[in-house]
Structures are given as structure tokens and as C-alpha cells.
Amino acid sequence: CFSACTNGANPSGAEGPYRSTAGNLAGMEQDSPPSANGLDPTDPMAELEENAKLLTEQIVLSVFSVSNLYETMTTPPEDLALDRFALSTLLYLDHDQYRYREVFVSGGDGYYHIPKEKLQWEISEVFGIEDWAFTDQSGVIYNEQSKTYSILSGFGIGNGLECKNLTVSIDTENNRALVQYDLYTSSEFPDSKLIGPCTTSFSIRADENGGQYLRYIKSEIQEKMEDIFS
């Protein structure tokens, strides 16, 4: 249950440690300064590279599982992983080039609000899944009249993994983006370990407005460095 996990507590049945969304709520009503991350907002290649990094971080954080790593890296995301991915969008609202930063709307009442249509757009682009909805286990409230999801702020998200040293290669000929990184158990663990170098790949696709977005293809561990359960 995500909504009950306020103040950084772990959702029931998940593994943590978690990155808390507490503190993001107040900033939702303020626009980020132009090029806050130092990137040129008019450069489509820079935007693709930045989104490849952010989506990789987001997938590692929410879809991969430290207790079932190889299966969660190599198979399509299961329903609860998609719940976590959708909610983890909140962690990237202050990145001005993050494509999905406007999926969540202002939560001045203590809730985050998510129009179903916008969230479906995000899940459809990233994973190619149509007609997606939160599971009953997510703790998200759905308003049928307004077609909007709502969730209390302050919940935690994460499955005990993080990526560092990310680099992006764009293959314009084949419309592919490849992200290389080192996969670690979370630094919030007292004995964070390097699991090994990994790659995550995306296809580059065109939207109906002439822009570009990334569709997740797969992730792979290139060389296993550490047994995370030893």
C-alpha cells in the first residue's frame, strides 16, 4: 500500500530503502528555472540523452528488485513494478527536460493528482502498454468523474538498487539509445555493493507532434562483480 507509507516508510511487501517524495509537493507549484540542469533546452539530442539517463534511473529504482534482480531486469515489468514506476515520476519533477514532469498536477490539498490520460501516455510511451491502470494494491484513489488518480504525499519508493556513472550513446542511424552504468545496492544500505556494469537500451520514436521519446527495450548485466546476497 503506497498511500499509507508516509514520511519515507516502506510500502508493505516491498524491500526498500526508499527515496521519499516528501518535500516535492511544495515545489510542484513553482516552475523550474530554464536549463536548471545546465542543458540547452533547445537541443533535442541533449534532451534525449538526459531522458535516457533519468528513465534508466527511474527503471532501476522502481522496476528492478534487489531480491529478484535477474528476472526483473530481463522480463517485462509486472503490475506492481508499473505502479512503482508511475509513482516514481514524482521524483523527477524538478528536472526541466524530463519528458513526464507535468504528468502530476499541483497537490495543494496534501495530495498529488494524476490525470489518468497523462499517466496512460507516459506508460504507453515508455513500455508500450495500453489501457494501463494502477492495481488495487497501490493505495491510489481514483475519481471516476474527473478521471484523476490521487495519492497522499510523503510515501517512499524504491527496491534497494541505484545506478551510478551513467553514460549515454545515441545511435541515430538505428534510432537507439544505450545507457551504460554501474549498478549498486542502495547507498542507504550500510554495506552498499557494486553488483556490476550494466546497460539499458531504448528505441527512439517519433510522437505525433514531431518530437521524440524513448521506448524501453531491455537491460543487461555485462559482468557480475559481487554476489549481493553474500
Side-chain angles (χ1 to χ4, degrees):
C1 171
F2 292 91
S3 61
C5 303
T6 58
N7 299 322
N10 293 2
S12 173
E15 298 147 57
Y18 287 76
R19 289 173 59 183
S20 175
T21 61
N24 282 358
L25 192 59
M28 290 182 67
E29 298 177 354
Q30 302 176 4
D31 291 334
S32 298
S35 301
N37 53 13
L39 298 174
D40 180 355
T42 65
D43 183 351
M45 195 63 66
E47 184 174 345
L48 275 177
E49 291 178 359
E50 181 70 1
N51 275 275
K53 288 182 178 180
L54 295 174
L55 285 173
T56 297
E57 291 179 357
Q58 190 175 357
I59 289 168
V60 168
L61 174 72
S62 61
V63 175
F64 297 173
S65 170
V66 71
S67 65
N68 194 17
L69 179 59
Y70 300 102
E71 181 176 345
T72 54
M73 285 186 72
T74 57
T75 59
E78 46 89 26
D79 290 342
L80 290 178
L82 290 172
D83 284 354
R84 292 192 297 271
F85 177 87
L87 293 172
S88 68
T89 300
L90 285 165
L91 299 172
Y92 300 93
L93 299 180
D94 59 348
H95 292 269
D96 59 302
Q97 288 203 340
Y98 179 59
R99 182 172 174 87
Y100 308 107
R101 66 186 301 268
E102 295 182 356
V103 166
F104 287 71
V105 297
S106 176
D109 57 354
Y111 283 81
Y112 293 107
H113 299 291
I114 319 135
K116 182 178 181 180
E117 183 179 10
K118 286 189 175 182
L119 189 57
Q120 176 60 68
W121 164 66
E122 177 182 3
I123 297 297
S124 174
E125 284 198 347
V126 178
F127 296 107
I129 298 172
E130 305 294 340
D131 299 322
W132 179 84
F134 279 110
T135 67
D136 293 338
Q137 290 85 3
S138 69
V140 174
I141 301 167
Y142 182 61
N143 186 314
E144 180 66 40
Q145 184 174 359
S146 64
K147 307 295 184 185
T148 300
Y149 295 106
S150 298
I151 187 167
L152 282 169
S153 63
F155 56 87
I157 300 170
N159 265 342
L161 295 164
E162 61 184 44
C163 50
K164 300 179 181 180
N165 307 318
L166 291 84
T167 60
V168 182
S169 302
I170 302 292
D171 180 351
T172 55
E173 182 176 346
N174 295 301
N175 294 318
R176 293 289 187 270
L178 180 70
V179 184
Q180 297 173 290
Y181 55 95
D182 295 323
L183 183 66
Y184 285 80
T185 55
S186 175
S187 57
E188 296 183 31
F189 285 136
D191 56 347
S192 177
K193 296 179 179 179
L194 171 64
I195 298 170
C198 297
T199 60
T200 290
S201 55
F202 301 90
S203 61
I204 301 171
R205 302 191 172 212
D207 64 25
E208 60 185 11
N209 298 314
Q212 293 177 308
Y213 67 92
L214 297 169
R215 170 74 53 81
Y216 178 64
I217 299 176
K218 64 179 180 178
S219 296
E220 297 178 300
I221 296 180
Q222 303 302 303
E223 179 183 354
K224 184 178 178 183
M225 304 293 292
E226 185 71 58
D227 184 349
I228 60 177
F229 301 111
S230 63

